[in-house]
Amino acid sequence: MTDTEAVEDYLAALSREILLRGDRFGSVTYATIFFGGGTPSLLAPRQIEAVLTNLRESFDIASEAEITLEVNPGTVTRESLAAFRALGVNRLSVGIQSFHDHELAFLGRIHDRAEALRCVDWSRAAGFENVGMDLIYSVPGQTLQQWEEILRAAVDLAPQHIAAYSLIVENRTPLAQMVEAGAVHRNPADREAVMYERTMDLLGAHGYEQYEVSNYALAGFRCRHNCAYWSHEDYLGFGPSAHSFWKTDEPRRGRRWWNVSDLSAYTDLLSRGVLPIAAEEDLGRRELVHERILLGLRSGGLDLARLSADLAYDLPHRQERMMRWMIEEGLATQVGQRLRLTRKGYVLCDEISTRLVRDVNL
């Protein structure tokens, strides 16, 4: 089978999954579509068009929906970007990662600095007015000065959104093997913390609001799709390994499921009209409270009133001592019914969230 045939088989399976899901979830209005995971910009515009057509035929897509396409700068042309925009894609998330060629090579990216800059120019020329950039910091050996150069290069391009993530060494990856062998050394934790703090400083000084641990946006350009996820809203995922979350009709319960990761198994199951679910889990009140706390604190803040109304969990009453400590130590603020981490708190977000979740008593 050729690569072209494999892609067409995958798209046919994707179409069948969308159709099958539309039978159950088609009556809800959806405000965002996000093409991500892998490299969707490898698809031709006509293929993206086919997926959008299938979605619109099976689901109620809002007329002003945010439609995001993740883009690798090495996979697009001026013409393909213009075609994506003409199809209704109105937001790009460009995986630039770095403006230093040696870091891009280390990360295994197929583009260089020149292609990244050209991709941004082409995006503007195509009419995209909502362009986001993904950057990675704490690449092994990276200095604070080098990271600042990347941030300033990004700011100079004036994107509407910047996501800045620290490099994570995943288990059983080539990078993990190099670290284990001593061929590559991770940056010290204190240097990474300084890089994170400098990110908040520099982007904030240029008008980018930090609305999540790693995400920054100009006014009016928060990623609506991500905000819905962090707000614990329902969502559907399509494709191999895609995850979905849906609150059930039963109060204070939800369901999460995810698809098989193997492409052959995915296409085979759907060719037989079988949904490609690998596993699923039922979520009770405790699990939903945990997730609401974790998602709320890492983003725009935890809505205490909504937590109480939806899940009958009064955090200020149940964990009064912990909340008082967070506020007194300058880790969080409470304005009205919203508990939000401060800049100092964001640095310790994982630790704080873990402590809050650990002490949930239902």
Side-chain angles (χ1 to χ4, degrees), residues 182-325:
V184 169
H185 299 282
R186 300 189 194 197
N187 274 332
D190 57 349
R191 182 190 299 175
E192 184 170 307
V194 171
M195 288 180 172
Y196 181 51
E197 291 172 350
R198 187 63 186 127
T199 304
M200 292 188 281
D201 282 341
L202 194 151
L203 294 183
H206 286 83
Y208 291 88
E209 175 202 10
Q210 184 177 18
Y211 70 104
E212 193 267 349
V213 169
S214 303
N215 284 263
Y216 308 78
L218 297 179
F221 287 98
R222 293 184 180 188
C223 176
R224 289 160 51 193
H225 182 84
N226 288 347
C227 286
Y229 172 81
W230 296 323
S231 296
H232 221 200
E233 301 296 338
D234 299 334
Y235 61 87
L236 296 176
F238 304 98
S241 298
H243 282 57
S244 301
F245 168 77
W246 207 266
K247 292 183 285 293
T248 65
D249 294 333
E250 185 179 350
R252 301 166 192 163
R253 299 200 66 84
R255 177 170 167 255
R256 177 174 287 107
W257 64 92
W258 51 96
N259 286 346
V260 296
S261 58
D262 182 76
L263 179 59
S264 295
Y266 175 80
T267 56
D268 177 64
L269 286 167
L270 284 161
S271 70
R272 295 185 277 116
V274 178
L275 285 168
I277 298 175
E280 57 186 301
E281 58 182 351
D282 290 321
L283 304 172
R285 180 175 164 225
R286 177 182 296 277
E287 290 81 13
L288 293 176
V289 168
H290 285 183
E291 292 186 4
R292 186 72 63 84
I293 291 173
L294 293 170
L295 292 170
L297 286 184
R298 72 172 291 113
S299 55
L302 179 60
D303 187 333
L304 300 172
R306 182 175 174 230
L307 179 65
S308 178
D310 291 352
L311 299 171
Y313 189 75
D314 186 344
L315 183 66
H317 176 71
R318 297 292 188 92
Q319 299 197 47
E320 178 184 1
R321 182 179 299 177
M322 178 66 179
M323 280 189 57
R324 186 168 60 249
W325 172 80

Side-chain angles (χ1 to χ4, degrees), residues 42 55 96 135 249 255 311:
L42 280 169
L55 288 170
I96 288 178
L135 305 175
D249 294 333
R255 177 170 167 255
L311 299 171

Side-chain angles (χ1 to χ4, degrees), residues 135-203:
L135 305 175
I136 291 181
Y137 67 93
S138 199
V139 175
Q142 186 182 65
T143 65
L144 177 60
Q145 179 181 347
Q146 290 171 327
W147 173 235
E148 285 187 352
E149 291 171 355
I150 293 169
L151 285 173
R152 292 186 186 281
V155 166
D156 286 345
L157 293 171
Q160 282 67 42
H161 190 281
I162 295 176
Y165 304 100
S166 63
L167 181 65
I168 297 176
V169 180
E170 300 283 0
N171 293 332
R172 297 186 296 276
T173 62
L175 178 57
Q177 294 170 1
M178 287 189 287
V179 170
E180 292 168 3
V184 169
H185 299 282
R186 300 189 194 197
N187 274 332
D190 57 349
R191 182 190 299 175
E192 184 170 307
V194 171
M195 288 180 172
Y196 181 51
E197 291 172 350
R198 187 63 186 127
T199 304
M200 292 188 281
D201 282 341
L202 194 151
L203 294 183

Side-chain angles (χ1 to χ4, degrees), residues 98 100-112:
S98 175
H100 292 149
D101 285 344
H102 70 281
E103 291 182 352
L104 290 169
F106 175 83
L107 294 169
R109 307 297 293 180
I110 64 171
H111 69 277
D112 58 19

Side-chain angles (χ1 to χ4, degrees), residues 62-79:
S63 60
E64 299 299 321
E66 175 190 88
I67 303 177
T68 301
L69 178 70
E70 285 192 345
V71 169
N72 183 315
T75 64
V76 292
T77 64
R78 181 191 297 271
E79 292 74 23

Side-chain angles (χ1 to χ4, degrees), residues 89 98 113 115 125 139 163 184-185 193 204 262 292 333 338 354 359:
V89 176
S98 175
R113 174 190 174 92
E115 288 173 305
V139 175
V184 169
H185 299 282
D262 182 76
R292 186 72 63 84
T333 61
R338 184 164 295 273
T354 299
D359 292 338

